[in-house]
């Protein structure tokens, strides 16, 4: 039996930087808090927790004063920085540079668009209710983000627009936009490049001649390029073990591609999930993962197979 670990899998640059910053701060012996899971991988979070990293949520942040808090690679809205300033919190900013640049571009577009009325003043307001507003109750343009609703990165992006951006999760939702108004389209950095282009084509075909449409390809290429690479990797093995935390959006996209290319693919989070029956009659096994999957965890999965 041959086992290959995909060299292209593992932490992306942004996650690597965030974890390095956390390890450097923890090595100083001071208490370090992290706003949200530093990475969508339970075992890596547990490793850092054992080193002293304390994971908190936004409610916890409001109660903290005069401490150090690390912001993970996903980024945060402006309100988080303002809260930290008021509470005397030192920010260790590990926001991915690609995400920071995207936040800046969206904020600039928002300032240039000057919406007349916020679209999301109420916390429970949905995209559907926004698009059903009557004339005069919405701004003259729409900042649209192709991304997962509620995802940490997307919350940070929407925050650059004071909550006015419209989030669409898939191509199926694009038809609900108002094509009589200007549309400025951005994407969460880890979304599918192919689906993003489908959305662009649809808007171009339906936008009113009197309206402006501009799209900005803000998908991280180090992530997007993993799709064709993981397709080739999945195709050359009898069995694929995709190692990934269940919270990872990027992982869901990449695993779907593995499954499309190789139906004999299984998503696991820990080595203990590997079933002996999967290995029967198998000559080659490929082990790969998401941008949130540490190499050491893929190696543990390999070692677990060799012990079976």
């Amino acid at each position: 039996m041959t086992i290959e670990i995909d060299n292209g899998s593992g932490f992306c640059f942004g996650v690597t930087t965030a974890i390095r910053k956390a390890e450097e701060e923890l090595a100083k012996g001071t208490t370090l808090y992290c706003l949200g899971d530093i990475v969508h991988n339970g075992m890596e979070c547990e490793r850092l927790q054992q080193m002293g990293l304390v994971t908190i949520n936004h409610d916890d942040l409001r109660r903290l004063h005069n401490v150090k808090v690390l912001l993970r690679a996903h980024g945060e809205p402006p309100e988080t920085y303002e809260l930290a300033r008021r509470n005397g919190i030192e920010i260790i900013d590990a926001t991915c540079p690609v995400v920071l640049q995207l936040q800046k571009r969206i904020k600039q577009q928002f300032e240039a668009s000057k919406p007349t009325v916020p679209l999301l003043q109420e916390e429970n307001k949905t995209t559907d209710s926004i698009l059903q507003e009557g004339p005069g109750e919405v701004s003259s343009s729409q900042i649209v983000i192709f991304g997962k609703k509620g995802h940490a990165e997307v919350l940070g992006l929407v925050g650059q627009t004071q909550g006015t951006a419209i989030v669409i999760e898939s191509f199926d939702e694009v038809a609900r936009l108002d094509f009589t108004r200007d549309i400025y389209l951005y994407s969460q950095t880890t979304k599918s490049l192919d689906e993003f282009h489908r959305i662009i084509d649809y808007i171009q075909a339906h936008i009113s001649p009197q309206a402006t449409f501009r799209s900005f390809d803000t998908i991280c290429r180090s992530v997007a390029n993993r799709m064709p690479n993981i397709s080739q990797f999945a195709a050359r093995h009898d069995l694929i073990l995709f190692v990934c935390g269940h919270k990872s959006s990027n992982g869901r996209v990449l695993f779907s591609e593995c499954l499309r290319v190789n139906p004999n693919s299984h998503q696991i989070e820990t080595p203990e999930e590997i079933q002996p029956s999967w290995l029967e009659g198998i000559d080659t096994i490929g082990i790969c993962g998401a941008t949130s999957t540490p190499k050491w965890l893929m190696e543990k999965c390999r070692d677990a197979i060799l012990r079976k």
Side-chain angles (χ1 to χ4, degrees):
M1 182 185 295
T2 301
I3 304 174
E4 180 185 5
I5 295 177
D6 178 28
N7 286 330
S9 291
F11 291 152
C12 63
F13 170 79
V15 172
T16 299
T17 301
I19 289 175
R20 176 178 54 78
K21 287 187 175 184
E23 291 173 335
E24 289 173 353
E25 290 296 325
L26 292 169
K28 299 175 184 177
T30 57
T31 300
L32 178 65
Y33 298 89
C34 180
L35 188 54
D37 291 337
I38 191 169
V39 63
H40 289 153
N41 185 276
M43 295 190 70
E44 179 65 8
C45 288
E46 183 179 337
R47 182 185 74 86
L48 290 168
Q49 181 182 351
Q50 291 172 353
M51 293 177 63
L53 185 66
V54 180
T55 302
I56 60 171
N57 58 33
H58 286 83
D59 288 336
D60 297 325
L61 184 69
R62 294 183 183 94
R63 294 189 287 267
L64 291 175
H65 292 80
N66 306 313
V67 295
K68 287 186 177 181
V69 175
L70 182 139
L71 303 185
R72 54 194 177 168
H74 302 91
E76 284 289 323
E79 292 78 10
T80 299
Y81 292 88
E82 175 58 25
L83 175 61
R85 186 193 64 77
R86 292 198 307 267
N87 288 7
I89 293 172
E90 180 182 346
I91 291 293
I92 309 298
D93 200 339
T95 305
C96 173
V98 178
V99 175
L100 278 176
Q101 181 62 24
L102 173 54
Q103 288 183 346
K104 181 179 178 181
R105 293 176 71 174
I106 289 177
K107 185 175 180 64
Q108 288 174 339
Q109 183 59 59
F110 171 71
E111 293 295 335
S113 299
K114 295 294 181 184
T116 55
V117 178
L119 301 183
L120 291 176
Q121 290 177 335
E122 301 172 18
E123 191 173 315
N124 62 349
K125 208 165 189 181
T126 64
T127 300
D128 286 336
S129 64
I130 291 168
L131 298 177
Q132 291 168 4
E133 298 277 1
E137 294 181 322
V138 294
S139 62
S140 60
S141 63
Q142 303 160 95
I143 293 178
V144 180
I145 299 170
F146 170 45
K148 181 183 177 184
K149 297 181 180 75
H151 188 279
E153 180 187 327
V154 174
L155 292 175
L157 300 178
V158 173
Q160 308 305 314
T161 69
Q162 297 179 8
T164 65
I166 297 172
V167 178
I168 58 173
E169 289 196 337
S170 67
F171 174 80
D172 295 337
E173 297 183 18
V174 68
R176 303 207 306 268
L177 297 175
D178 185 347
F179 297 104
T180 66
R181 295 162 51 214
D182 298 346
I183 296 175
Y184 298 91
L185 176 68
Y186 300 84
S187 175
Q188 179 181 345
T189 58
T190 55
K191 291 295 281 183
S192 163
L193 190 59
D194 289 343
E195 191 169 12
F196 184 63
H197 286 156
R198 287 182 67 204
I199 291 171
I200 291 173
D201 291 343
Y202 187 94
I203 295 175
Q204 287 176 333
H206 292 81
I207 193 77
S208 166
Q210 286 73 43
T212 297
F213 170 54
R214 292 189 65 192
S215 62
F216 305 88
D217 184 351
T218 53
I219 294 173
C220 177
R221 284 305 182 269
S222 71
V223 175
N225 290 340
R226 295 195 180 192
M227 186 71 81
N229 292 339
I230 212 162
S231 297
Q232 296 171 12
F233 182 81
R236 64 173 182 261
H237 293 288
D238 299 329
L239 169 67
I240 291 295
L241 296 179
F242 188 86
V243 187
C244 173
H246 296 303
K247 294 181 181 179
S248 173
S249 299
N250 165 255
R252 279 191 287 273
V253 173
L254 291 174
F255 176 65
S256 294
E257 181 64 11
C258 286
L259 204 57
R260 185 188 69 81
V261 174
N262 186 339
N264 195 22
S265 298
H266 299 274
Q267 181 177 343
I268 59 173
E269 188 167 13
T270 66
E272 290 72 26
E273 296 176 36
I274 300 172
Q275 301 295 318
S277 60
W278 297 347
L279 312 179
E280 295 175 3
I282 297 297
D283 293 325
T284 66
I285 299 174
I287 300 176
C288 51
T291 58
S292 55
T293 304
K295 274 284 173 60
W296 64 261
L297 183 52
M298 289 185 280
E299 290 168 354
K300 285 192 69 172
C301 291
R302 175 200 60 200
D303 296 343
I305 293 171
L306 293 175
R307 291 193 300 268
K308 289 185 183 294

